[in-house]
């Protein structure tokens, strides 16, 4: 079975059996009873009772080595052997043999070959097809009764003058056996214009390497050119050069827009580029051009599985019947099972099961399904994992625009186009972006006006936003009790909204009810653990309650998150002092903030490092270039860590201090804590120095 994600290729050779059958006498035609007809028409065998046009179907080989016309019995709607330009033959139908006659009749047995890169493909039964054209190994046309052959094609009594049959050459890249009427190619003789495959061979090595590729790209105009574009595209596809392959398939389509194989190959390249929406559109065009083209059905079904479109995938794979890929059918069954379980779990609010089934469905093959990715985001929101939900929302696969039938499909009873907006509105609401939540919910309501979940969400979002606005207005006028009630009305509609909890905590703080303020901050942080405002208000409330250890812990976290915030740094400094005092430590001469202090003598140095807290001493030289760079960075550290005392010593001017501290290299940093040296760093990088200062300042 072929892989639907790869373009098709065909044979570029004639079998040994064909060569044997072409051994003919020099004075006799190879196929006396064949009617050549039009060079782009299927061959018709002439039998004793005349021609039976209803028993003949056309088949053309897939690559530039040529085209054959064969006899096939009528088949199902979608058939494996329905080949196009660029397709290998793969019929399981029994082709009838040609009628008996004195002239030799050559048949070629072709075996279907899989898409490029396919391993372990199963060969289809051989198909006997009739060679289109009287071709011998020299490339000459051996015809003895050209006029009679023409008469048999055009009918008795026709007054049309016979046209000469010549071997095509030159610009069309036709090669041996290209039979053209009138001495050259005619404009519009491609399959797209005539409705049948072109009858043309080209040499297997007619275009080789970069020079051949430039030749093919430089002269575009006939069916041979489109085949060459496809062949070169297939080569690039095999190498993973999907963008370049796509350009060549586009050129082939411009030459022969009615060829379904080119559209199918283009879909394969688009799939490789992750543009699944466009790939679906190309496959659907291919199926419309030829509803029996099984490869397009197969590829389209596989794309729908990846997109999580169960019903569309069923339709495509069921149309294939026994030709459907067993692996794809198994994927479809597994995916359908997980989606059914996911739907049932969502109905009862079992969000852990919803998350599990979403993950299983994606792993089963629906790796590009935006609706399943959105379902995973919704489950994470319901499980109060807001940060993880937002991260997954930003990483949802982009597959491009889907066709109308896909967009109008339903997921959990909701239009597929409305469901992502439904989930996004929940995210905006949880993050406190109320106006944006209303706007997104309104868009979802415009798309799906009948769904009760969408209409219910829009109603709730408007009410919650109204309660928040009313609470903010009351807070500004210092009516804190009424503001608490207003925020509470919003929380009744959305009990997991961290912004409303944090706003109500601010009201409790103003009312002096610090315990209740801490409780609301805890609820807000339960849903949004790194919510800065909630951490600040909880730390402030704990400070009022003299819970210094809890306050220092929150301020420490905030100091790491927002290191440039001086207010947080000062609050941390005072909380640390209060914590030390509560533990019975004696605190003297501690101050917050300031500039880097320059030390002039040994006595000043000893007094500075003996103080409580953290002191960082910078030993420098005015002549050293590295010290000049480090001095500006030390000024920045002084503003970032105002609870730390920063000192600087010039080793040339204050050699006694440098000698007492055994400083031999500059720049050198020594860190003292409560009068004891805890760290010495020689020539540190900026990151190493700041890391050490932060570590000992906590």
């Amino acid at each position: 079975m072929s892989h639907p994600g790869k373009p098709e290729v065909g044979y570029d050779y004639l079998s040994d059996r064909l060569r044997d059958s072409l051994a003919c006498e020099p004075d006799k035609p190879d196929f006396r009873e064949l009617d050549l007809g039009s060079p782009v028409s299927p061959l018709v065998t002439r039998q004793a009772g005349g021609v039976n046009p209803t028993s003949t179907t056309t088949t053309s080989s897939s690559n530039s080595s040529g085209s054959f016309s064969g006899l096939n019995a009528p088949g199902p709607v979608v058939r494996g052997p329905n080949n196009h330009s660029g397709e290998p033959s793969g019929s399981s139908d029994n082709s009838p043999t040609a009628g008996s006659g004195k002239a030799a009749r050559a048949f070629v047995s072709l075996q279907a070959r899989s898409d490029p890169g396919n391993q372990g493909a199963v060969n289809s039964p051989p198909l006997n097809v009739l060679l289109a054209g009287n071709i011998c190994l020299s490339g000459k046309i051996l015809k003895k009764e050209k006029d009679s052959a023409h008469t048999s094609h055009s009918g008795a009594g026709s007054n049309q003058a016979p046209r000469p049959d010549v071997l095509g050459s030159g610009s069309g890249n036709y090669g041996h056996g290209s039979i053209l009427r009138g001495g050259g190619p005619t404009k519009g003789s491609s399959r797209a214009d005539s409705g049948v495959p072109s009858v043309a061979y080209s040499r297997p090595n007619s275009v080789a390497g970069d020079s051949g590729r430039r030749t093919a790209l430089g002269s575009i105009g006939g069916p041979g050119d489109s085949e060459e574009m496809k062949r070169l595209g297939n080569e690039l596809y095999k190498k993973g050069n999907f963008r370049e392959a796509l350009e060549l398939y586009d050129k082939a389509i411009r030459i022969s827009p009615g060829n379904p194989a080119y559209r199918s190959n283009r879909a394969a390249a688009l799939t490789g580029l992750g543009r699944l929406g466009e790939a679906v559109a190309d496959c659907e065009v291919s199926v419309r051009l030829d509803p029996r083209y099984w490869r397009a059905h197969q590829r389209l079904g596989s794309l729908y599985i990846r997109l999580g479109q169960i019903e569309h995938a069923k339709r495509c794979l069921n149309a294939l019947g026994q030709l459907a890929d067993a692996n794809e059918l198994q994927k479809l069954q597994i995916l359908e099972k997980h989606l059914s379980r996911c739907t049932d779990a969502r109905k009862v609010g079992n969000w852990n099961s919803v998350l599990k089934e979403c993950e299983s469905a994606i792993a089963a093959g629906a790796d590009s399904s935006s609706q399943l990715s959105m379902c995973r985001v919704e489950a994470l929101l319901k499980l109060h994992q807001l940060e993880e939900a937002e991260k997954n929302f930003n990483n949802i696969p982009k597959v491009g625009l889907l066709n109308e039938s896909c967009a109008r499909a339903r997921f959990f009873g909701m239009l597929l186009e409305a469901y992502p907006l439904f989930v996004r509105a929940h995210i905006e609401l949880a993050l406190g972006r109320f106006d944006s939540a209303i706007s997104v919910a309104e868009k979802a309501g415009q798309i799906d006006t009948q769904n009760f979940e969408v209409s219910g969400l829009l109603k709730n979002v408007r009410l919650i936003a109204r309660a928040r606005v009313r609470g903010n207005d009351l807070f500004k006028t210092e009516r804190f009790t009424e503001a608490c009630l207003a925020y509470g009305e919003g929380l009744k509609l959305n009990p997991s909204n961290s912004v409303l909890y944090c706003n109500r905590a601010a009201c409790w703080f103003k009312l002096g009810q610090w315990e209740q303020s801490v409780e609301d901050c805890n609820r807000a942080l339960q849903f949004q653990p790194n919510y800065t405002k909630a951490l600040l208000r909880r730390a402030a409330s704990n400070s009022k309650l003299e819970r210094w250890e809890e306050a220092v812990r929150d301020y420490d976290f905030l100091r790491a998150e927002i290191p440039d915030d001086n207010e947080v740094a000062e609050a941390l400094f005072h909380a640390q002092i209060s914590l030390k005092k509560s533990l019975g430590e004696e605190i003297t001469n501690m101050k917050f903030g300031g500039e880097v202090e320059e030390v002039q003598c040994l006595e000043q140095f000893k007094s500075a490092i003996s103080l409580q807290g953290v002191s960082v001493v910078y030993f420098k030289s005015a002549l050293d270039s590295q010290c000049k760079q480090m001095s500006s960075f030390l000024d920045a550290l002084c503003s970032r860590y105002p609870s730390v005392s920063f000192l600087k010593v010039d080793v040339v001017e204050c050699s006694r201090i440098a000698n007492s501290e055994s400083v031999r290299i500059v720049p050198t940093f020594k860190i003292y804590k409560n009068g004891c040296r805890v760290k010495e760093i020689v020539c540190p990088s900026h990151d190493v120095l700041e890391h050490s200062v932060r570590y000992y300042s906590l």
Side-chain angles (χ1 to χ4, degrees):
M1 183 60 61
S2 64
H3 291 273
K6 302 175 183 177
E8 297 77 15
V9 297
Y11 282 107
D12 289 335
Y13 62 89
L14 294 175
S15 66
D16 292 335
R17 183 177 176 185
L18 173 60
R19 294 181 180 274
D20 295 338
S21 68
L22 290 177
C24 57
E25 296 180 22
D27 295 330
K28 294 182 180 180
D30 292 319
F31 298 94
R32 180 175 299 172
E33 296 186 77
L34 290 181
D35 185 354
L36 294 175
S38 169
V40 294
S41 300
L43 293 176
V44 182
T45 58
R46 298 186 57 82
Q47 303 189 20
V51 177
N52 183 6
T54 62
S55 64
T56 305
T57 57
T58 63
T59 305
S60 62
S61 74
S62 72
N63 70 13
S64 58
S65 65
S67 301
F68 295 97
S69 178
L71 300 174
N72 296 330
V77 174
V78 178
R79 301 185 306 164
N82 185 32
N83 296 325
H84 300 279
S85 179
E87 299 298 324
S89 174
S91 175
S92 59
D93 300 334
N94 295 324
S95 299
T97 60
S100 61
K102 293 181 179 180
R105 298 181 178 275
F107 292 88
V108 180
S109 176
L110 300 180
Q111 290 189 344
R113 194 164 63 183
S114 64
D115 296 351
N118 181 25
Q119 300 296 326
V122 179
N123 290 333
S124 300
L127 169 68
N128 290 334
V129 294
L130 188 59
L131 184 63
N134 296 330
I135 306 173
C136 69
L137 296 180
S138 64
K140 296 179 180 180
I141 302 175
L142 301 178
K143 292 206 311 174
K144 191 173 182 180
E145 300 171 351
K146 179 173 63 178
D147 294 340
S148 62
H150 176 72
T151 303
S152 65
H153 169 70
S154 58
S158 174
N159 295 326
Q160 182 179 357
R163 292 175 295 170
D165 294 333
V166 299
L167 192 63
S169 61
S171 61
N173 291 324
Y174 293 107
H176 285 289
S178 301
I179 304 172
L180 305 175
R181 290 289 187 183
T186 58
K187 183 178 180 181
S189 62
S190 67
R191 187 182 191 275
D193 300 324
S194 62
V196 293
S198 60
V199 184
Y201 275 80
S202 65
R203 289 189 180 92
N205 298 322
S206 59
V207 177
D210 294 336
S211 61
R213 184 170 300 167
R214 286 194 296 268
T215 302
L217 294 177
S219 57
I220 299 176
D225 293 314
S226 62
E227 282 297 300
E228 189 60 29
M229 296 301 104
K230 180 195 68 63
R231 187 186 70 79
L232 294 173
N234 289 353
E235 291 178 1
L236 292 169
Y237 180 93
K238 292 176 186 177
K239 297 176 182 178
N241 299 328
F242 303 122
R243 195 173 302 281
E244 292 82 354
L246 180 63
E247 293 176 0
L248 290 169
Y249 294 143
D250 285 338
K251 291 180 180 180
I253 291 171
R254 285 198 292 270
I255 299 169
S256 299
N259 190 309
Y262 299 164
R263 290 282 183 176
S264 181
N265 285 12
R266 185 177 188 272
L270 288 167
T271 302
L273 293 171
R275 294 156 60 178
L276 271 61
E278 296 174 71
V280 167
D282 266 343
C283 283
E284 290 187 334
V285 171
S286 182
V287 169
R288 285 199 300 270
L289 289 172
D290 186 351
R292 299 181 300 171
Y293 184 22
W294 70 280
R295 289 187 186 277
H297 282 279
Q298 181 73 50
R299 181 164 287 136
L300 188 55
S302 298
L303 287 169
Y304 280 136
I305 288 176
R306 290 189 63 185
L307 293 170
Q309 299 273 349
I310 298 298
E311 296 303 322
H312 289 296
K314 276 185 181 179
R315 171 175 54 81
C316 293
L317 296 181
N318 288 341
L320 290 168
Q322 295 182 351
L323 293 173
D325 191 318
N327 291 332
E328 296 300 315
L329 289 173
Q330 186 179 14
K331 282 183 185 179
L332 181 60
Q333 292 173 357
I334 295 173
L335 183 58
E336 191 172 15
K337 177 186 69 175
H338 289 304
L339 281 177
S340 177
R341 292 176 179 175
C342 181
T343 302
D344 294 339
R346 187 178 183 273
K347 287 179 181 177
V348 298
N350 186 352
W351 295 104
N352 281 309
S353 294
V354 170
L355 184 60
K356 177 184 175 182
E357 295 302 329
C358 277
E359 298 285 357
S360 299
I362 291 170
D367 56 348
S368 299
S369 174
S370 60
Q371 65 268 27
L372 280 172
S373 297
M374 279 293 182
C375 182
R376 179 167 56 188
V377 171
E378 183 184 17
L380 289 169
L381 279 173
K382 297 294 184 180
L383 294 171
H384 310 311
Q385 300 179 34
L386 179 57
E387 292 181 1
E388 190 67 20
E390 188 179 13
K391 179 182 176 181
N392 276 266
F393 176 79
N394 293 330
N395 292 328
I396 288 177
K398 305 295 189 296
V399 298
L401 295 175
L402 297 175
N403 56 29
E404 186 176 355
S405 62
C406 289
R408 304 304 292 180
R410 292 193 174 271
F411 190 68
F412 300 140
M414 200 178 306
L415 283 177
L416 196 62
E417 194 176 356
Y419 182 65
L421 296 172
F422 174 83
V423 177
R424 183 186 164 194
H426 278 290
I427 292 177
E428 299 293 336
L429 183 63
L431 292 172
R433 299 193 285 254
F434 296 93
D435 293 339
S436 179
I438 292 174
S439 176
V440 174
E442 287 176 346
K443 289 179 182 177
Q446 292 169 1
I447 293 172
D448 195 341
T449 58
Q450 304 299 322
N451 187 268
F452 72 95
E453 283 191 84
V454 174
S455 58
L457 171 67
L458 179 57
K459 179 181 178 181
N460 277 356
V461 169
R462 286 172 174 167
L463 291 174
I464 294 167
R466 191 179 304 162
R468 177 244 184 185
V469 170
R470 184 168 178 268
N472 289 353
D473 292 340
L474 291 168
F475 186 89
K476 291 174 183 177
T477 58
E478 299 184 357
R479 297 159 66 182
F480 302 119
T481 302
E482 295 176 66
C484 282
L485 295 175
Y487 292 132
E489 291 298 321
L491 287 168
K492 289 178 183 178
L493 298 170
N494 188 12
S496 60
N497 194 286
S498 56
V499 174
L500 294 178
Y501 278 119
C502 189
N503 286 4
R504 193 169 69 175
C507 295
W508 295 129
F509 186 89
K510 291 291 185 179
L511 292 169
Q513 301 184 35
W514 298 304
E515 279 291 355
Q516 289 177 285
S517 178
V518 170
E519 289 178 5
D520 271 355
C521 287
N522 288 338
R523 293 191 184 100
L525 292 167
Q526 178 185 354
F527 305 122
Q528 199 171 344
N530 296 329
Y531 190 12
T532 301
K533 285 186 177 180
L535 286 167
L536 279 170
R537 283 176 184 151
R538 186 172 69 176
S541 298
N542 280 322
S543 296
K544 291 290 185 181
L545 294 168
E546 297 186 355
R547 296 173 181 168
W548 302 114
E549 188 173 354
E550 289 85 347
V552 168
R553 184 169 55 246
D554 283 340
Y555 283 132
D556 277 343
F557 180 85
L558 290 166
R559 191 79 179 95
E561 290 293 311
I562 44 178
D564 296 330
D565 193 312
N566 284 335
E567 291 184 5
V568 172
E570 185 172 3
L572 173 60
F573 174 78
H574 292 300
Q576 287 173 332
I577 297 298
S578 299
L579 177 60
K580 292 177 186 293
K581 288 181 178 180
S582 68
L583 296 175
E585 296 184 19
E586 185 178 351
I587 305 299
T588 58
N589 297 325
M590 291 196 69
K591 60 180 181 178
F592 174 78
E595 298 178 352
V596 179
E597 181 181 355
E598 187 169 2
V599 178
Q600 301 291 340
C601 62
L602 184 59
E603 290 73 17
Q604 181 187 359
F605 172 76
K606 290 181 178 180
S607 175
I609 64 174
S610 63
L611 296 175
Q612 293 291 322
V614 178
S615 300
V616 177
V617 183
Y618 167 41
F619 294 89
K620 69 181 186 68
S621 172
L623 302 177
D624 188 83
S625 59
Q626 189 175 358
C627 288
K628 293 179 180 178
Q629 296 177 359
M630 194 61 75
S631 296
S632 59
F633 180 67
L634 196 67
D635 292 335
L637 289 180
C638 186
S639 62
R640 291 179 194 172
Y641 301 92
S643 61
V644 177
S645 296
F646 289 90
L647 311 171
K648 58 184 177 181
V649 177
D650 192 305
V651 295
V652 177
E653 297 178 358
C654 303
S655 57
R656 287 183 61 197
I657 301 176
N659 292 333
S660 67
E661 293 294 316
S662 302
V663 175
R664 299 289 181 268
I665 303 173
V666 291
T668 293
F669 290 86
K670 294 190 178 186
I671 301 176
Y672 299 84
K673 190 166 186 177
N674 300 328
C676 299
R677 189 174 67 194
V678 293
K679 183 82 171 178
E680 180 176 349
I681 319 171
V682 179
C683 300
S685 66
H686 290 184
D687 291 339
V688 170
L689 178 60
E690 183 168 9
H691 179 269
S692 299
V693 171
R694 183 189 301 116
Y695 177 80
Y696 288 105
S697 66
L698 299 178

